[in-house]
């Protein structure tokens, strides 16, 4: 009934599994939210990337990104937000200005890996056979020298994982 509704995910998996024969598998590769979601700070070193980030923050239609902008912080080119918001922002603006109209209409990291695992344990007739999360190659390299990511107290932090793979299997009945 509405976009960006997490409640539909279990129903989608159930419906997809219903189409499978026993032993059939569903493979999902998606963005991953961090289980821990500390506040982080982004400092843009690239004015063009910062302009794209501002456009993204204005237009994003998923969850509230809760970004504090430079004017609110009193620090030029520095933004403060939860890590999942930073991940959503950083890993989608790397696709560039041409992709912006599409990227603002997507929510990249709905669930944490633990959420997907719990889903696999909670659905009847479904077994989670594989799950992992990782930082997609290319993101750190593309963002190097263009943005700095730090903890809320200023210490450098690594870029969070961006993606996951989960594999569900329909159990024998």
């Amino acid at each position: 009934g509405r976009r960006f509704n997490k409640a539909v995910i279990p129903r989608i998996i159930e419906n997809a599994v219903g189409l499978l024969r026993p032993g059939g598998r569903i493979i999902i590769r998606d963005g991953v939210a961090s289980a821990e979601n500390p506040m982080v700070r982004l400092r843009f070193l690239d004015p063009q990337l910062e302009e794209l980030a501002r456009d993204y923050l204005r237009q994003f239609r998923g969850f509230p990104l809760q970004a504090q902008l430079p004017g609110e912080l009193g620090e030029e080119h520095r933004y403060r937000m939860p890590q999942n918001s930073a991940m959503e922002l950083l890993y989608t603006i790397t696709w560039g200005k041409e992709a912006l109209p599409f990227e603002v209409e997507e929510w990249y990291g709905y669930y944490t890996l633990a959420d997907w695992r719990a889903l696999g344990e909670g659905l009847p007739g479904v077994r989670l056979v594989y799950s992992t999360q990782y930082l997609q190659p290319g993101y750190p390299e593309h963002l190097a020298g263009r943005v700095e990511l730090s903890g809320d107290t200023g210490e450098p932090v690594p870029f969070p994982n961006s993606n996951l793979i989960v594999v569900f299997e329909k159990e024998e009945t």
Side-chain angles (χ1 to χ4, degrees):
R2 63 180 172 85
R3 292 180 62 192
F4 306 117
N5 181 358
K6 286 183 177 183
V8 302
I9 295 173
R11 291 197 314 254
I12 291 169
I13 300 300
E14 285 179 306
N15 288 337
V17 167
L19 299 172
L20 298 175
R21 293 184 178 134
R25 293 184 172 181
I26 298 169
I27 301 169
I28 298 171
R29 180 222 172 251
D30 197 12
V32 63
S34 297
E36 297 175 6
N37 194 21
M39 295 301 286
V40 296
R41 293 178 183 254
L42 295 173
R43 181 169 173 258
F44 285 93
L45 308 172
D46 177 334
Q48 289 179 328
L49 191 64
E50 183 174 7
E51 181 182 334
L52 185 57
R54 284 180 177 270
D55 288 345
Y56 183 83
L57 288 168
R58 277 193 298 273
Q59 298 175 38
F60 181 65
R61 301 288 179 247
F63 63 94
L65 291 171
Q66 302 173 355
Q68 289 179 281
L69 304 177
E72 298 168 19
L73 295 173
E75 298 179 64
E76 194 174 6
H77 310 293
R78 194 174 299 272
Y79 298 70
R80 182 178 184 265
M81 65 188 73
Q83 180 175 281
N84 287 330
S85 295
M87 184 273 300
E88 192 78 32
L89 169 69
L90 287 174
Y91 299 156
T92 52
I93 64 173
T94 60
W95 295 103
K97 193 173 190 90
E98 300 79 24
L100 186 67
F102 308 103
E103 296 297 335
V104 297
E105 297 294 331
E106 297 178 3
W107 181 350
Y108 187 53
Y110 269 80
Y111 273 4
T112 67
L113 187 59
D115 293 333
W116 282 105
R117 288 175 176 161
L119 177 63
E121 293 171 4
L123 293 175
V126 177
R127 184 170 68 98
L128 179 69
V129 294
Y130 180 78
S131 62
T132 191
Q133 62 183 353
Y134 59 94
L135 176 56
Q136 182 172 310
Y139 285 143
E141 295 81 5
H142 180 75
L143 294 167
R146 302 178 77 195
V147 66
E148 292 174 347
L149 184 64
S150 63
D152 205 28
T153 57
E155 73 285 356
V157 295
F159 290 113
N161 286 326
S162 58
N163 294 81
L164 62 75
I165 296 175
V166 292
V167 181
F168 295 104
E169 182 177 86
K170 183 172 185 172
E171 294 180 324
E172 302 287 332
T173 54

